[in-house]
Amino acid sequence: MFSNFISYIEQGIRWFVEHFDGPLWNATIVTLLGVGLFFTITTGFVQLRLFPHSIREMWFGRASQGDSLSPFQAFATGLASRVGVGNISGVATAIALGGPGAVFWMWVTALIGMSSAFAESSLAQLFKIKDAKGSFRGGPAYYISQGVGSKLLAIAFALALIFTFGFAFNAVQSNSIVEATRNAWDWDAHYVGLLLVLLTSFIIFGGIKRIGRFSARIVPMMALCYLILALIILGMHYDKVPSIIYLIIRSAFDFSAMAGGIFGAVLSKAMLLGIKRGLFSNEAGMGSAPNIAATSDVKHPVSQGLIQMLGVFVDTILVCSCTAIIILLSDNYGSECLKSISLTQKALQYHIGEFGVHFLAFILLLFAFSSIIGNYAYAESNMRFIKNNPIVVNLFRLLVLFFVYFGAVNSGGIVWAFADTVMAIMAMLNLIALLILSPIVWILLRDYYRQTKQGVEPVFNIMEHPKLLKLRLDPRLWNRIREHK
């Protein structure tokens, strides 16, 4: 009975992907890169100019106020969702299907997207609200509703995010965990799925504060372990790294293998796969990280925008690059039978022996599980935006647990395709809103930059900006923050 229900869900997803994936991504690619370039230019290359400030804001943002997440906890929770399967399985998939050049386009997507990530998280801070429990909530659904002034568009985005992060992305995470543990320890998919459901239920029924504490402890540790191993491997083959980087750049402009769809004549498979997997990994401009960015207590909206911008850099330029070089230094990346996490595991086995297979299975278990709870945190915030009712929220949690199990027992192809399609819908809605609200981003950035030039800690006082007082936001939040100066 239950297996038949899962089969019906799979058939529905296949129909949805076949009819909507191509047209959606044709529009998303142009919009994603266009909006990223727009904010890069209009903010004066904020991702380069204020990059040192992003490190400082993250480092000195470790103290929390009351029940709110600290800026660092918000950064770690956002990184929990970013750093995971996309960095290990997603990179391998991009290389297997698009070649080494796909990595270059992941870099491009990240570097351009850092400005979009800055804009969306700064807006999320400005338009955040305080709920009855005294905690902050916010994100694209809130700045679309209050800033753009469209409740309908805000609900559409919230639904898109719920399907993307609450359902599709969590299915991808559990699917990758199953593949990794099957390769390493021959674990049964059904048992792994049930175990993930139990562990996930413990975290998500514990509330957003527990998610923040868990991420702040686990994410830095697991990312550090993975990066240390990657650096050891790179050190063992340091003489070959320049040639690998040259291979990535040279292959990026190889148009012998073209993508399909309307842009098939101008986009190579490397470009298409690099952009898709880059967006899945770093989520820049997608509208996900702002949901956590809004929950922290900072003195200026731009502070959290810079912190989340740094998360994009860490995710793609550091972690994804390490995975890519590990794979390309091995002799397995050209094998047609190796894709996804299996390719990364084989690469580690090539470098450090059988230990690499087991190590990656364990580290991916931590990566993917932290991503599941980070994804859930995004989805819960948007579910509460639509209907903040305990019964509705608990029913939503049960659906999340179902898709965790669904991803564990289904093929990777359909799970990844479902994630790509709903991700494109979500990104399009958010990017349109960012363009509409871009003048507000410029006001916030000018205010922050003016204060840093004066040598004082930036503190946002909304009373100094009469234009923003006309918006539907709570000015008392920023008056309160002003008092902490």
Side-chain angles (χ1 to χ4, degrees):
M1 183 75 172
F2 187 67
S3 61
N4 289 336
F5 177 70
I6 291 180
S7 178
Y8 292 143
I9 296 294
E10 182 181 357
Q11 291 174 20
I13 289 174
R14 287 188 183 278
W15 179 89
F16 176 69
V17 169
E18 289 173 2
H19 287 81
F20 294 101
D21 183 68
L24 278 170
W25 269 101
N26 290 336
T28 301
I29 288 173
V30 173
T31 309
L32 178 70
L33 298 179
V35 171
L37 286 170
F38 173 77
F39 278 109
T40 295
I41 295 170
T42 59
T43 61
F45 290 81
V46 65
Q47 61 266 61
L48 301 178
R49 187 160 52 99
L50 294 183
F51 187 79
H53 289 266
S54 68
I55 298 175
R56 187 193 66 187
E57 293 283 2
M58 183 272 295
W59 183 253
F60 290 105
R62 289 172 290 170
S64 61
Q65 300 290 332
D67 291 331
S68 301
L69 294 184
S70 70
F72 178 76
Q73 284 177 326
F75 168 78
T77 305
L79 203 60
S81 181
R82 285 192 177 107
V83 176
V85 167
N87 305 87
I88 301 175
S89 180
V91 172
T93 301
I95 293 174
L97 299 179
V103 179
F104 175 85
W105 297 109
M106 292 182 74
W107 293 341
V108 171
T109 303
L111 291 173
I112 293 176
M114 286 173 70
S115 63
S116 302
F118 162 79
E120 62 186 358
S121 291
S122 298
L123 288 170
Q125 267 291 320
L126 179 66
F127 287 96
K128 68 185 179 182
I129 64 169
K130 181 176 283 190
D131 62 21
K133 296 180 179 179
S135 299
F136 294 122
R137 290 208 315 271
Y142 294 82
Y143 59 66
I144 291 173
S145 176
Q146 299 168 21
V148 178
S150 174
K151 184 73 172 181
L152 184 62
L153 183 62
I155 292 176
F157 174 86
L159 287 172
L161 187 143
I162 288 166
F163 271 85
T164 302
F165 279 84
F167 305 153
F169 280 13
N170 278 343
V172 167
Q173 307 298 332
S174 59
N175 182 272
S176 296
I177 289 174
V178 164
E179 184 179 352
T181 54
R182 183 193 297 122
N183 292 340
W185 309 309
D186 199 28
W187 285 3
D188 182 85
H190 295 278
Y191 291 124
V192 173
L194 290 173
L195 178 62
L196 289 173
V197 167
L198 289 174
L199 293 174
T200 304
S201 63
F202 171 74
I203 296 293
I204 68 176
F205 280 97
I208 189 68
K209 188 67 175 178
R210 180 180 291 180
I211 294 173
R213 287 196 299 263
F214 179 89
S215 300
R217 294 170 183 169
I218 298 299
V219 172
M221 179 197 70
M222 66 183 187
L224 183 62
C225 289
Y226 184 72
L227 285 173
I228 288 174
L229 178 63
L231 290 173
I232 290 173
I233 293 174
L234 265 59
M236 292 166 54
H237 304 280
Y238 69 93
D239 56 322
K240 298 180 181 178
V241 172
S243 62
I244 293 298
I245 294 175
Y246 173 74
L247 172 65
I248 290 172
I249 297 173
R250 178 173 56 82
S251 301
F253 300 95
D254 179 6
F255 289 87
S256 59
M258 305 305 296
I262 192 172
F263 294 113
V266 294
L267 289 185
S268 66
K269 282 187 177 180
M271 291 177 70
L272 182 63
L273 266 296
I275 293 170
K276 277 189 176 184
R277 296 284 73 83
L279 180 59
F280 178 88
S281 179
N282 61 55
E283 303 170 17
M286 190 191 299
S288 51
N291 295 274
I292 290 298
T295 63
S296 71
D297 191 5
V298 294
K299 297 180 181 180
H300 200 290
V302 166
S303 298
Q304 195 65 48
L306 292 172
I307 290 172
Q308 295 300 335
M309 181 184 79
L310 180 64
V312 176
F313 180 87
V314 172
D315 170 88
T316 304
I317 305 302
L318 296 184
V319 184
C320 285
S321 296
C322 286
T323 300
I325 293 175
I326 287 172
I327 292 172
L328 295 174
L329 281 171
S330 73
D331 59 355
N332 297 306
Y333 79 87
S335 174
E336 294 183 1
C337 62
L338 290 176
K339 297 177 182 178
S340 191
I341 189 63
S342 298
L343 178 57
T344 312
Q345 284 182 303
K346 282 293 184 181
L348 283 176
Q349 185 180 35
Y350 171 85
H351 293 297
I352 58 177
E354 193 65 24
F355 168 76
V357 177
H358 300 289
F359 172 82
L360 191 62
F362 174 73
I363 209 74
L364 187 86
L365 190 62
L366 294 178
F367 270 137
F369 183 67
S370 69
S371 292
I372 287 175
I373 63 172
N375 292 344
Y376 170 78
Y378 295 152
E380 183 195 278
S381 176
N382 283 267
M383 177 54 68
R384 291 187 183 277
F385 173 82
I386 297 173
K387 189 69 174 178
N388 191 12
N389 178 284
I391 296 176
V392 174
V393 171
N394 285 329
L395 288 174
F396 158 69
R397 287 169 174 168
L398 293 176
L399 277 174
V400 170
L401 296 177
F402 168 79
F403 273 94
V404 168
Y405 183 78
F406 176 86
V409 298
N410 270 278
S411 67
I414 186 61
V415 170
W416 277 95
F418 178 43
D420 279 341
T421 307
V422 293
M423 173 175 66
I425 297 173
M426 176 181 159
M428 280 293 295
L429 293 172
N430 183 58
L431 291 167
I432 292 170
L434 291 182
L435 284 177
I436 296 172
L437 297 174
S438 57
I440 300 175
V441 177
W442 304 332
I443 291 173
L444 296 176
L445 181 58
R446 282 197 298 267
D447 183 81
Y448 180 92
Y449 191 64
R450 173 182 59 81
Q451 295 186 58
T452 59
K453 293 292 287 184
Q454 293 173 352
V456 298
E457 180 184 12
V459 178
F460 186 69
N461 183 359
I462 196 169
M463 296 303 174
E464 297 175 0
H465 303 278
K467 291 183 179 180
L468 298 185
L469 287 172
K470 299 177 183 178
L471 300 172
R472 290 185 292 176
L473 48 80
D474 188 351
R476 294 172 298 177
L477 296 179
W478 295 107
N479 280 340
R480 180 187 65 81
I481 291 177
R482 182 66 180 179
E483 292 169 0
H484 290 317
K485 185 175 179 180

